[in-house]
Amino acid sequence: MVHYGHSNQLRQAKAMGDYLIVGVHTDGEISQHKGPPVFTQDERYKMVRAIKWVDEIVEGAPYVTTLETLDKYTSDFCVHGDDITLTVDGKDTYEEVKRSGRYRECKRTQGVSTTDLVGRMLLMTKAHHSNIGHSDYQQHTDNFGKGPKGHSPWTGVSQFLQTSQKIIQFASGQEPQPGDTIIYVAGAFDLFHIGHVDFLEAVSRLSDKPYVIVGLHFDQEVNRYKGKNYPIMNVHERTLSVLACRYVSEVVIGAPYAVTRELLDHFKVDLVCHGKTDVHPDKDGSDPYAEPRKKGILHTVDSMNSLTTDSIVQRIIKNRLLFEARNQKKEAKEMAVIQAMKRREEEKGKERAQAVDC
């Protein structure tokens, strides 16, 4: 997956230098070393390009980062999170650049992992919604955050805690300028994916100087019109996901479902956009876009992408099962190697003890 944890890593990486190049692996490389990817390589190329701290991407970057790779792209150093990444045969993928002193580390974002997000989908709980108590969330972590051999510090579940500082770090902080076209869009933007990126890019192309404001509905509102255990990401997580997109200027956290006259006047909105998906009526059965429709500023945007959050969920569930099966085999091999090494150490200890006795 590509989620706000990755965006935060790229934000930190960009702050360490002047120009950020991001290497994105192929589907084949990921399948070999980690398991089947959720997004295709072409989707991931586009997703990473849309993250506002990225200056350039390298398509089909090698899984093992070498000095040759850094020199090829005139990079002074490379950056990775403070979790370890291994090849299929258990080698550190950054071993060479670490030895040469051309490696930097950034902090992993606590409270987000693909494991956690998949757990929310599989368990069909609503414990991750922003108004749910900690005890329910703890049950979620107990169910999904622990493997049979213990708890991983990198893939285990921990509660994501939003802070004003984190929002400030992600926000552009830029106000609309004279001549900007202020465009308002609203929705859940759950599991922020390439369909959302294509929609927001299409919206931003409607003007030479777009200022795109995204209204994010509260979790309870999203659950009302989408049902099941949606949204998979709570409103705090969705806020960071959307703010990381280069086509977005501002986010309204907990926007009203109906686009009211007050909202349009407050933000001085020139254009309201909606995708080609169905519009769910408000609680009282009314059209939430009645006001912009009456003012003649409602515009339907075709993103030319039919991908939905539902289809992403199905991909993740399918791939998670494959990934778990592969991990079980990998773990069995690793445990066999560890046990063999332990036996050898025990045998050497016995031999040393016998030599002393003699």
Side-chain angles (χ1 to χ4, degrees), residues 22 25 28 37 44 56 67 72 91 112 133 140 204 214 315 357:
V22 181
H25 309 310
R44 286 181 286 110
E56 181 183 339
L67 293 174
K72 181 178 179 180
K91 294 180 180 177
V112 59
H140 162 61
S204 71
V214 176
R315 279 194 204 183
D357 289 341

Side-chain angles (χ1 to χ4, degrees), residues 14-64:
K14 179 61 181 285
M16 295 179 187
D18 304 303
Y19 191 84
L20 180 62
I21 303 172
V22 181
V24 183
H25 309 310
T26 63
D27 293 345
E29 286 268 64
I30 292 178
S31 296
Q32 179 185 353
H33 296 284
K34 295 185 74 172
V38 174
F39 296 128
T40 68
Q41 61 195 45
D42 289 334
E43 289 171 336
R44 286 181 286 110
Y45 296 153
K46 197 163 192 176
M47 285 286 291
V48 175
R49 277 196 182 96
I51 295 172
K52 63 186 179 184
W53 298 286
V54 176
D55 295 302
E56 181 183 339
I57 78 160
V58 173
E59 298 184 1
Y63 196 75
V64 176

